[in-house]
């Protein structure tokens, strides 16, 4: 069965069957990445443009690699040095690019909802690569893929998302996707970094990490987003590490093996200690590799949907 949607804008409302289809398809592409020749032809003759209005390293490189592994023609767009800096609107920029017969647009933008707006003005498939502090759906999918790869399933697991929930575009797709797949989801962090009424999304809220660790299977550790002024919500980064930092001592006290995820980039010895980031608990580098496979799956399923 094809995907039930022609765009990937978020995991809010994405049905279980579509999530399973993406994750299962990613398994095949993950095997491709282990081959001596890592290129396959499904998107040959198709054109994908990556429109990034915000800085990015992992996501942009991951999408570009996924597109090239699928044999697509790839165009890169950056707001810096483009007509946007001359006052061109998002609508005109997108429609001019689409006039070059682009099939898929991958977009990152600082404004929440920008990719949704894009679907109203162009006919190409749109993939949201992060819109403000709203959603980053492929990150949520690759996190779920990594958890399933490590633990074998998602249903019934207890996953805690720790840290700067308010500024994160990773927390929401994880919450939506994991809840849809039957996981128990909690959030933990300082009260200043937990959005009001987040319980309405069906999550449990904690403000003491040591209280929740003994029941957690997976800990998804979020970065303190200093570039979004998150630091002003804390007395100091040292105090944050003291009360919420994921350290070896905390994990040992929990008395169980906890799988650690982090979307990156890592602030070592702030939200997570260096020895834990490089430990047997961590699947952070697996997330990076799996991100290519998951994005290959999304691109393939959208491009071949019809």
């Amino acid at each position: 069965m094809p995907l039930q949607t022609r765009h990937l804008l978020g995991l809010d409302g994405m049905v279980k069957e579509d999530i399973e289809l993406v994750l299962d398809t990613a398994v095949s592409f993950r095997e491709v990445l282990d081959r001596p020749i890592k290129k396959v032809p499904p998107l040959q003759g198709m054109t994908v443009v990556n429109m990034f209005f915000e800085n990015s390293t992992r996501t942009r490189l991951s999408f570009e690699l996924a597109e090239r592994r699928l044999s697509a023609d790839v165009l890169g767009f950056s707001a810096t040095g483009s007509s946007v800096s001359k006052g061109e609107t998002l609508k005109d920029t997108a429609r001019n690019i689409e006039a070059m017969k682009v099939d898929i647009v991958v977009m990152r933008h600082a404004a929440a909802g920008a990719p949704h707006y894009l679907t109203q003005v162009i006919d190409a498939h749109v993939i949201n690569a992060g819109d403000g502090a709203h959603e980053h759906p492929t990150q949520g999918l690759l996190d779920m893929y990594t958890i399933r790869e490590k633990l074998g399933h998602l249903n019934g697991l207890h996953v805690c998302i720790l840290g700067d929930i308010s500024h994160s575009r990773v927390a929401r797709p994880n919450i939506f996707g994991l809840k849809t797949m039957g996981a128990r989801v909690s959030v933990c962090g300082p009260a200043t970094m937990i959005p009001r009424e987040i319980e309405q999304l069906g999550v449990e809220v904690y403000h003491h990490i040591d209280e929740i660790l003994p029941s957690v299977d997976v800990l998804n550790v979020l970065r303190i987003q200093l570039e979004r002024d998150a630091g002003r919500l804390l007395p100091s980064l040292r105090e944050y590490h003291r009360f919420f930092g994921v350290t070896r001592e905390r994990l040992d006290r929990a008395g169980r093996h906890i799988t650690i995820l982090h979307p990156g980039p890592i602030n070592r010895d702030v939200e997570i200690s260096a020895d834990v980031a490089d430990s047997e608990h961590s699947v952070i580098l697996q997330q990076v590799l799996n991100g290519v496979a998951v994005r290959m799956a999304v691109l393939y399923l959208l491009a071949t949907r019809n």
Side-chain angles (χ1 to χ4, degrees):
M1 294 293 293
L3 284 176
Q4 298 180 38
T5 176
R6 68 183 308 268
H7 308 288
L8 180 64
L9 303 178
L11 300 194
D12 185 9
M14 191 173 188
V15 297
K16 182 177 181 180
E17 292 76 14
D18 275 1
I19 293 175
E20 289 179 334
L21 178 58
V22 172
L23 300 184
D24 292 343
T25 304
V27 173
S28 300
F29 287 124
R30 177 64 183 80
E31 294 171 358
V32 169
L33 297 177
D34 287 329
R35 298 177 186 174
I37 298 176
K38 301 174 177 62
K39 200 165 188 177
V40 288
L43 267 62
Q44 190 169 17
M46 302 190 75
T47 303
V48 183
V49 60
N50 297 307
M51 295 180 64
F52 277 67
F53 292 83
E54 281 191 316
N55 294 332
S56 171
T57 301
R58 271 158 297 280
T59 300
R60 184 167 191 160
L61 290 178
S62 183
F63 266 111
E64 288 182 1
L65 188 58
E67 292 149 10
R68 296 183 192 281
R69 292 286 188 247
L70 293 168
S71 303
D73 296 318
V74 180
L75 296 176
F77 170 90
S78 176
T80 304
S82 72
S83 295
V84 172
S85 60
K86 303 175 184 177
E88 187 173 60
T89 65
L90 174 60
K91 177 179 179 179
D92 287 336
T93 298
R95 295 186 71 176
N96 275 280
I97 290 175
E98 187 184 41
M100 303 176 193
K101 303 300 180 184
V102 168
D103 300 288
I104 301 175
V105 174
V106 178
M107 182 184 188
R108 168 166 288 189
H109 201 283
H116 300 70
Y117 169 74
L118 206 63
T119 65
Q120 301 173 24
V121 297
I122 65 173
D123 294 325
H125 299 288
V126 176
I127 300 174
N128 179 6
D131 57 334
H134 181 223
E135 278 210 53
H136 189 355
T138 56
Q139 182 69 49
L141 289 166
L142 76 88
D143 288 347
M144 286 190 288
Y145 179 95
T146 303
I147 295 169
R148 194 179 75 165
E149 179 186 57
K150 177 72 174 180
L151 301 179
H153 64 102
L154 294 169
N155 186 45
L157 292 178
H158 184 188
V159 181
C160 178
I161 305 170
L162 172 68
D164 187 5
I165 310 296
S166 294
H167 293 93
S168 175
R169 53 182 157 223
V170 174
R172 287 164 186 79
N174 267 272
I175 291 169
F176 297 137
L178 287 165
K179 292 286 294 180
T180 299
M181 300 304 291
R184 171 190 171 192
V185 183
S186 302
V187 297
C188 180
T192 54
M193 290 185 164
I194 304 291
R196 293 180 180 179
E197 301 180 349
I198 195 170
E199 297 95 337
Q200 295 182 6
L201 299 182
V203 302
E204 304 165 35
V205 178
Y206 293 84
H207 299 297
H208 302 284
I209 182 173
D210 295 308
E211 176 186 357
I212 193 173
L213 282 183
S215 69
V216 165
D217 299 297
V218 178
L219 197 60
N220 198 341
V221 185
L222 303 181
R223 179 173 62 89
I224 302 301
Q225 300 197 29
L226 299 175
E227 75 280 7
R228 298 183 191 273
D229 291 331
R232 64 183 173 82
L233 301 176
L234 302 168
S236 70
L237 295 182
R238 178 179 296 178
E239 184 163 328
Y240 179 86
H241 182 71
R242 177 185 172 192
F243 287 102
F244 294 97
V246 181
T247 63
R248 174 70 70 174
E249 292 74 21
R250 277 204 160 98
L251 294 178
D252 289 343
R253 285 200 303 270
R256 61 186 298 160
H257 182 86
I258 299 175
T259 299
I260 305 293
L261 286 78
H262 194 301
I266 301 171
N267 293 317
R268 287 178 178 252
D269 297 318
V270 177
E271 64 260 10
I272 186 170
S273 64
D275 60 337
V276 171
D278 300 326
S279 74
E280 72 281 2
H281 292 272
S282 171
V283 290
I284 295 171
L285 292 181
Q286 289 93 316
Q287 286 176 269
V288 177
L289 177 59
N290 292 339
V292 179
V294 166
R295 287 166 179 132
M296 288 175 72
V298 170
L299 289 158
Y300 168 78
L301 289 169
L302 289 179
T304 61
R305 182 175 176 274
N306 297 325

